[in-house]
Each structure stands twice: as structure tokens, then as C-alpha cells.
Amino acid sequence: MSTRPQPTQQEKVMGDDDFIVSKTDLKGIITYGNRIFIQMSGYSESELLGAPHNILRHPDMPRVVFKLLWDTIQARREICAYVKNLAKDGSFYWVWANITPSLDRAGDLVGYFSVRRKPRPEAIQVVSGLYRTLLEAERKAGDGQAGMQASLAILNQVLEQKDMSYEEFVFGL
Amino acid sequence: MKNLSLGSRVRYLVGACLALFLLFGAMQVGHGLPTSQWAILTILFLLLGLTLYTVHRILKAISRLTDSLLSAARGDLDQRITGIRRGGATEELAWALNDLLDQQEAYFREVFSAFDHATRGQTFRLAMDQGLHGAFKDAMIRVNVSVESLGQVQQMALKEKLISRITDLNSGNLIKNLRSIQQYLMNMTQELTIVGQISSETAKDADGSRSTIENLVADLNQVAAMVAKTNAQISLLHEKGEEINQIVQVITDVADRTNLLALNAAIEAAHAGDVGKGFAVVAEEVRTLSENTKDAAASIATTIESFGQATSRMLEDSEQVKDLAEGSRNAVTEFRSQILKFADSAKASLGQVHKAQDLSFASLVKVDHFLFKQNGYRVLHQGSGSPEAQAIQTDHRGCRLGNWYYEGQGAENYSHVPSYHQLEAPHAGVHRNIQEAVNLLSHSWERNAETQAQIYSHFEAAERASEEVVQVLDRMVEERHRTA
């Protein structure tokens, strides 16, 4: 996967009754993907297996979302997020992602399990606006920590205004 | 062969085919089998080998599927078939198995997450049924009904927990506050009792002063009358002095004329010579007598004059005494009306002080019963072994109000007012209901809805009774002081 696909304005929409299922190891390397995953991402199973999950990362996504995501699942908590994914052919598809940690019998963290569903169009509208703002803040403040902090501050401000936790906010969309 | 697995059997068959082919080849060496027959034979064996190899691979795939299924049967839903060959005989089977496991794993994780949130009272996180199929989807819709109600119950429980903690805090402090008011009212009632005693003494003294002043006024009137009488007598005395003076004047005239007569007689006696000698002696004696009479009259006149002066002075003094007595009488009359006013106001203020005393006592016993109830409520939090549970053991005869009502000043001062007899029933009701509620609290009320209902109704009845006690007490005080 040395060359990233060039993003296009082509959108793919998930089926109402479908969900994408994938599993990764602790580093985010894909260890399993179901057929819907293969179909939506445009990659073959063999291309997906062993690849990092971020091959699907769309440049429109603010980094702070993934930071929040990783921080949460590494703390062994569930996370839900709206994510814009990049398919192999450059098209994009929105998902309502839910990631939960996988524990073995001894209670050790062994990987992550992700289910991605078709999001409600109204939610996408709100989220894409918010993400644009966050992304802009990240770009303006430059890469690295500064950008992350700037967009995190905006996100917290939005939540504070709504007097909601992140979870409450995304589930309310 | 019976104990061997299918895979091993296939492997043995492949081996046997190869061995047969080699044996056949070895047997045909030197027999000169035609090349075409050799070719057919070789292809036949190759086909056989290929078939067996395919079977072997299918079996291997099936074995992987079996492993996954066995794991799933043991409750491990994590296993999946990966690296599925496209177009392979087991491709569809493998994906179908993966799909089934995806459905199951997604279902269980969703259920777990939703319940996990609901347990913490977070109602926004319902289980998502989107993407689940058939029975999984149906089950999830039903699960969500439970999740939703659990979330609500937990949310309410969280709310209740806080309310309960704060109520506990509040009631603890309320008791402290009520105790301080109780102490304050006790002091005030005591102070008012002292003020009442002082006031009643003042009123008594004022009544005493009233009779003293009446006596004084009477005495002064008597004094004034006596002064007037004395005055009249002195005047009379003065007049008598004058009369005496006139009499003395008459006596002096008589003496003067006697003296003159005696002198004339002496001269006539001298003319008579010795014959008149004796007569001369008599005339001399008469003259001396008249001289003496004149002297005595002069002395009387002098005495009477000084007597007259004395009576004049007495008359003046007496006149002054009369004025003084008059003045005193006016002053005392004024004083008397003031004393009467004072006595009246002392009596009125005594009435007010008694009312204040009664109001203060009524407030004190009200607070006593607020405290009594609060202690009952506290047992709910503190348990039936707590000091609060001990504090409510007194009955309606043993408490401060009970003592007052049955034996003390209440019975003495209030038994005549109409509302007096209306106090007993609600007062007993407060004690009885709180005690019964607390008795129920020593049973396992936490899990018993019926007991809870009973406890609640006892507290409710105690509140109603307490309300009535307050009203009756107010009426009693009002009635006593309206009639008084």
C-alpha cells in the first residue's frame, strides 16, 4: 500500500441492513474483515489482512477523532464515532463505527473488534460540518501537538456548550 | 482403519495409489506395455491423485471450519476463517460461518455495551440492531426494552441516591437546628416565667398601693378637718381674751375709783382727828387693796395681751397648716389617680406576659414534636439501633407536652377552654404513628413493598396529627387569653 488512492467525490452508501465487521490486533493491523468490508473498501481480503487499518483513512478526517478513538479503546472502553473512509478506488463512504476491545480469558487486551453501520444522513451533515472545523483548526495550528490541542479544545467547547459527554453527543445525532 | 480420521484415510489412499502405480510399473518392466497404454495409465493415476488431493484440501478446510465452530460452541466467538480461496469449494461455507459469528459477536458486544451503560444510568446508549438479521434483530429489539427500563430505573436510583443522601444531610442538620431553637424556647419560657412572677408581684403591689393611698387620702381628709376645728377653737380663744381685757378694764376702773374714794375717805378721816383715826386706817387699807387690785388687773392685762399675741400667732400657723393640709390632699389625690392607672396597666401587662409565656411554651412543645418526627425520619437512614430510634420511645404522656397537659400548668390553666380536650387524640397520634413506623423499620422493609406502604402511611398520619396538634395548641392559647 505504498501509494495512497487519490480521493474523489464519488460516494458509496452502505446497505441499510448491512454492517462491516473487522478485527485488528493491538497495533491496528487488520486480522479479519467480512465480505461487506471487502466490498465497501474495494480491497481484496488478502490485501486487507496484515494491512494497517488506517489505509482507509480519508484526508477529510481530523486527527483528533482518531486520537480520541485510540485513547478510549486503549483504556478498554467502547467508542463510537462517525468516520469518513477512503476506498481503494478513491471514493468515500461514511460509517457509524463502533469499536470494542477484545479480551482473552485472562482478561488481557488482545485486539479490537469493529462494527460499522450505515449512518443517518442528518448525523453526517452535523458531523461533517464539525469535522471541517476541527480539520481547519488542525491545519492552521500546524501538525503535531499544537494542531491536536487546538481541535481538541474546539471539540470540548462544543460538548460543553451542549452540556453533553462525547458519547451522549454522538448517540444523540 | 476404523480409528483413523478422514484426513488420514485420504492421505493413506493417496499413498496407496502411488504405491500401486509404482508396483504396476515395476511389474510391467520388460513386458513391453505399449506407450499409449502407459500414457492412459499415468493420466488415470494422476487424476486419481488430483482428486484425492482436492478431497484432502476440502477436508483440511472443513477441519478449520470445524475448529471455528467448536470454539464458537465453547463460547469463544473470536475465531474467523481468513484467507478464503476465491472459488474454492468451501468459500461460501466459510463466509457463511464468518457471517454467523459476526452476527453473534456483534449481538453480544452490543448487548453488553448497552447494559453496561444502562447500569450506570445512561439511557442514551441503546443496543443497535442495525445490521443484525432475523432472530438476532428481533431479540435485540426486545433486549432494548429491558435496557431502556433498566437505564431509567438506574437513573432514578442514582437520583434517589443523591436525594436520599441530601435528605439525610438535611434532616441531620434540621435536628441540630431544631434543638437550638428548642433550647432557645426553653430559656425564653423560663425567662417569661420569671417575668410573669415579677409582673404578678407588681400587680399585687399596685393593688396594695391602691388601698394604702386610699387610707392616706382618708387620713389627710381627717387631718384637714381637725385643723379647721382647731382653727375655730383658737379664734374662739382669741375672742375670749378680748372679753377678759374688757373685764380687766372694768376692774381697773373700779380700782381707780376705789382708790379715789379711799383717798377722799382718808382726808375726811384726818378732818375727824382721832375719831377718824381708825377710819383712816380702814381707808388706807382700802386704798392699798385698790392699788393691789389695779396691779393685779394690770398684770392680767399684760398676761392677756401676751395670750392674745400667742393666739394670733397660733391662728396664723394654723392657717398655714390648713393650707399645707389642703395642698397635701391635692397632691395625694393626683398620686392616687396615677397609682390607679399603674395598677391597671400592671394587670394588663401581666395578662400579656402570661400570653407570651403560653405562646412561647406552645412553640417549645411544637418544636419538641417536630424533633420527635425528625428523629423518626432519621431512623430510616440511621437504622433501628440508632440513638434516634431511642429518642422516640417516649409516649404522649411522658413528653414535655404530656406532663404539662395531664399534670402541670396545662391542666391547671387550660382545662376550662373548649379546645383543651381536642389535643389528646392528635397528640397521641403523633407518638403512636412515629413509633409504629419505626417498629416497622426494624423489619426487612427494604424489599417489602407492603411494609414500605405501611411505613409511609404511618409517617403521613403522624404529619397530619402533628398539624392538628399545632392548630389545637394555637386555638387553646387564643381561647384562654380571649376569655381572660
Side-chain angles (χ1 to χ4, degrees), chain B residues 436-451:
Chain B
E436 278 176 21
V438 168
N439 282 344
L440 287 168
L441 285 173
S442 63
H443 300 97
S444 54
W445 58 275
E446 290 95 336
R447 295 179 301 279
N448 192 332
E450 202 179 308
T451 313

Side-chain angles (χ1 to χ4, degrees), chain B residues 80-182:
Chain B
R80 296 289 188 282
I81 311 295
T82 52
I84 299 165
R85 225 158 59 93
R86 299 190 68 169
T90 56
E91 182 191 4
E92 195 54 38
L93 186 59
W95 281 123
L97 178 63
N98 282 345
D99 286 347
L100 175 63
L101 289 170
D102 286 349
Q103 290 278 317
Q104 287 184 336
E105 195 167 7
Y107 174 85
F108 284 118
R109 284 182 188 246
E110 267 306 302
V111 167
F112 175 80
S113 286
F115 273 112
D116 187 43
H117 281 76
T119 311
R120 283 179 276 134
Q122 294 172 337
T123 48
F124 58 85
R125 173 62 168 106
L126 290 181
M128 295 180 274
D129 60 48
Q130 201 187 355
L132 291 175
H133 301 141
F136 291 109
K137 196 181 183 93
D138 293 345
M140 195 59 106
I141 290 166
R142 278 159 198 264
V143 162
N144 262 340
V145 176
S146 306
V147 169
E148 214 167 351
S149 66
L150 174 68
Q152 281 162 0
V153 167
Q154 288 297 104
Q155 212 168 49
M156 217 182 298
L158 273 171
K159 198 170 135 188
E160 287 295 317
K161 202 170 155 192
L162 177 67
I163 291 173
S164 153
R165 284 181 63 201
I166 288 176
T167 309
D168 189 28
L169 185 70
N170 174 33
S171 74
N173 282 314
L174 189 61
I175 284 189
K176 250 191 272 171
N177 297 343
L178 281 175
R179 284 219 179 96
S180 86
I181 293 176
Q182 187 187 40

Side-chain angles (χ1 to χ4, degrees), chain A residues 53-119:
Chain A
H53 213 289
N54 64 17
I55 55 163
L56 304 163
R57 194 177 283 195
H58 198 283
D60 287 353
M61 283 297 291
R63 285 183 299 135
V64 71
V65 174
F66 295 105
K67 178 179 161 41
L68 182 69
L69 195 147
W70 276 104
D71 285 352
T72 308
I73 58 175
Q74 277 171 353
R76 299 174 172 223
R77 291 200 312 270
E78 168 195 61
I79 183 103
C80 288
Y82 290 92
V83 179
K84 188 178 187 177
N85 276 333
L86 180 65
K88 190 182 180 183
D89 62 2
S91 61
F92 67 91
Y93 59 100
W94 277 98
V95 294
W96 166 228
N98 167 259
I99 307 170
T100 44
S102 296
L103 308 178
D104 65 9
R105 291 249 161 243
D108 291 325
L109 193 60
V110 290
Y112 304 106
F113 177 84
S114 166
V115 179
R116 297 187 284 285
R117 299 170 172 87
K118 181 188 176 183

Side-chain angles (χ1 to χ4, degrees), chain B residues 16-26 38 41-42 45:
Chain B
C17 278
L18 207 64
L20 265 173
F21 178 72
L22 289 174
L23 186 66
F24 188 77
W38 263 112
L41 206 65
T42 305
F45 274 104

